[in-house]
Amino acid sequence: MPVPLLDLRAQYASFKDEVLPVIAEICDAQQFILGAKVETFEKEVAAYCQSERAIGVTSGSDALLVALMAEKIGPGDEVITTPFTFFATVGAIVRVGAKPVFADIDPVTFNIDPAAIEAKVTAKTRAIIPVHLFGQAADMDPIMAIARKHGLIVIEDACQAIGAEYRGKRVGSIGDYGAFSFFPSKNLGCFGDGGAVTCTDNAKADMVKILRNHGQSKTYFHEYVGGNFRLDALQAAVLSIKLRKLDSWSAARQSNAADYEKMFADAGLTDGRITLPAKAPYVVRHIYNQYCIRVADGKRDALRDYLHQQGIGCAVYYPLSLHLQPCFAELGGKPGDYPESEKASAEVLALPIYGECTLSQRQMVVDAVKAFYQGK
């Protein structure tokens, strides 16, 4: 494929010589579970996210889950979140036995609309999970105001947004908890699954740390029923090396996004046929985990298919709003309940934005989109 949606091989080549000796060191020591490598990375990522503490866990999905567990959220409780996100956001709520309650999204940012949240609060509401989708922070000040007014916990789903900033604050440092994913395709990805929970409250962090290791504060003495949510030493070591390069990789994505804005405008395509991603005025730093355009007039799927035929990588994030997913049918969701989320599901298309994507490759993307419209 001339322009893949994501190509991690070029990134790997840039730090291969650093990471392989560290992996060999861990293999020689045969110390794979938790330990010094994990502790070092936890301190590094906490500092990076401007949070008091960080606890390494097995995945972003488990980061959300263990945060809910730490607050003893379960049957009879409700958690407000967005219907336009990856499955794991809502899956974690259901897995602890709580009920997801949806609030529609802002059509510009794709993030949960704070104005839609307060009407969803009931006596059963325990938490809000805003999602910093595609690398852009949700509007956190009004969300935090609602949470404090009603005594609610805020768990930031920052799985796509490490390093993104809201009014000068890093995501994951604003709410009670931050959940991060280090899946390989993320801006900071490990060599498999990995995640982290950030906390500004030490007591909350201590609880997460206990729960991630079967609820034990010392070996074989279990204070709680936790889970096996431990981050591997190998993944922590990889992440420590990559974290030092993250800002330069994010800057490259930002530069690529700026290039796209000019290139699409020069191609005459920003006339309503496509809409480029917008940076909200409160966002200091958008890290473009994805670069998602909107495609009008029901042509999104046709454009996606055409780009694939031309060897251009692209993907739909996400094709079916979560309130319409079969596994959540018992929630009673139906078409029309969350119109902005449903419209986004029908229009959004992600284009290549990774830092190593060259100018000529990006020009191929723009040219292919232009050729699609010329042919249509």
Side-chain angles (χ1 to χ4, degrees):
M1 182 172 285
V3 191
L5 179 61
L6 178 65
D7 184 359
L8 292 174
R9 291 170 298 181
Q11 184 191 86
Y12 173 60
S14 71
F15 67 93
K16 178 179 178 179
D17 291 343
E18 294 176 70
V19 76
L20 290 182
V22 176
I23 291 175
E25 172 194 336
I26 295 170
C27 291
D28 288 343
Q30 289 292 291
Q31 295 179 350
F32 299 111
I33 305 300
L34 297 178
K37 298 293 186 186
V38 173
E39 292 171 5
T40 296
F41 173 68
E42 288 174 336
K43 291 175 183 176
E44 292 169 344
V45 79
Y48 184 83
C49 294
Q50 300 174 349
S51 187
E52 185 70 24
R53 297 273 296 281
I55 302 92
V57 295
T58 35
S59 67
S61 301
D62 288 339
L64 292 163
L65 179 64
V66 75
L68 290 164
M69 291 171 64
E71 291 297 324
K72 297 181 173 60
I73 293 172
D77 296 330
E78 295 178 351
V79 179
I80 299 171
T81 192
T82 166
F84 189 62
T85 180
F86 180 59
F87 169 84
T89 310
V90 179
I93 299 168
V94 174
R95 286 172 66 190
V96 297
K99 178 184 177 181
V101 174
F102 295 116
D104 211 352
I105 63 169
D106 178 280
V108 175
T109 66
F110 303 114
N111 287 323
I112 194 168
D113 184 354
I117 292 175
E118 191 152 18
K120 302 289 185 174
V121 176
T122 72
K124 296 180 179 180
T125 307
R126 290 284 313 283
I128 304 170
I129 303 182
V131 180
H132 305 303
L133 200 66
F134 303 150
Q136 175 161 228
D139 192 358
M140 291 301 297
D141 281 352
I143 293 172
M144 294 303 298
I146 293 167
R148 298 302 175 241
K149 176 182 177 181
H150 295 281
L152 307 177
I153 292 295
V154 175
I155 302 170
E156 298 177 66
D157 183 338
C159 288
Q160 297 180 3
I162 187 166
E165 294 182 9
Y166 173 84
R167 302 192 189 280
K169 297 178 181 178
R170 290 274 168 97
V171 298
S173 70
I174 305 167
D176 298 282
Y177 301 87
F180 292 86
S181 169
F182 305 126
F183 188 76
S185 64
K186 297 296 193 292
N187 285 32
L188 179 64
C190 54
F191 286 2
D193 277 312
V197 179
T198 53
C199 300
T200 53
D201 182 283
N202 278 312
K204 293 182 186 299
D206 288 342
M207 177 60 74
V208 170
K209 190 172 182 178
I210 290 170
L211 289 173
R212 75 159 175 196
N213 193 19
H214 296 292
Q216 58 184 345
S217 56
K218 60 180 180 178
T219 305
Y220 302 135
F221 288 84
H222 302 268
E223 300 173 55
Y224 307 96
V225 177
N228 181 5
F229 306 135
R230 300 176 303 230
L231 180 65
D232 292 343
L234 279 168
Q235 304 300 350
V238 170
L239 289 165
S240 285
I241 291 169
K242 295 183 74 174
L243 182 60
R244 296 194 289 268
K245 306 174 185 298
L246 180 58
D247 282 344
S248 65
W249 292 339
S250 294
R253 286 172 177 262
Q254 292 164 338
S255 177
N256 289 351
D259 286 347
Y260 268 142
E261 187 169 350
K262 182 178 187 304
M263 293 160 74
F264 276 116
D266 289 346
L269 292 168
T270 55
D271 56 359
R273 290 177 292 182
I274 68 169
T275 302
L276 304 182
K279 192 172 93 169
Y282 53 75
V283 169
V284 176
R285 191 173 189 236
H286 190 327
I287 55 99
Y288 295 99
N289 193 79
Q290 285 90 18
Y291 185 88
C292 289
I293 64 171
R294 279 184 180 267
V295 183
D297 303 322
K299 292 184 177 180
R300 192 271 310 280
D301 291 350
L303 175 58
R304 175 198 60 196
D305 295 345
Y306 178 81
L307 292 179
H308 283 161
Q309 292 167 9
Q310 305 307 307
I312 306 294
C314 58
V316 174
Y317 299 93
Y318 298 94
L320 186 63
S321 187
L322 289 177
H323 71 287
L324 300 176
Q325 292 285 352
C327 63
F328 300 134
E330 64 181 22
L331 298 175
K334 60 185 183 301
D337 284 349
Y338 305 100
E340 293 299 345
S341 177
E342 293 169 40
K343 186 179 180 184
S345 291
E347 293 183 349
V348 164
L349 186 66
L351 301 178
I353 191 65
Y354 57 97
E356 295 78 19
C357 185
T358 66
L359 181 62
S360 63
Q361 286 178 312
R362 280 175 275 128
Q363 188 65 59
M364 290 174 64
V365 174
V366 175
D367 290 345
V369 175
K370 184 175 182 178
F372 168 79
Y373 280 104
Q374 288 175 333
K376 300 293 179 181

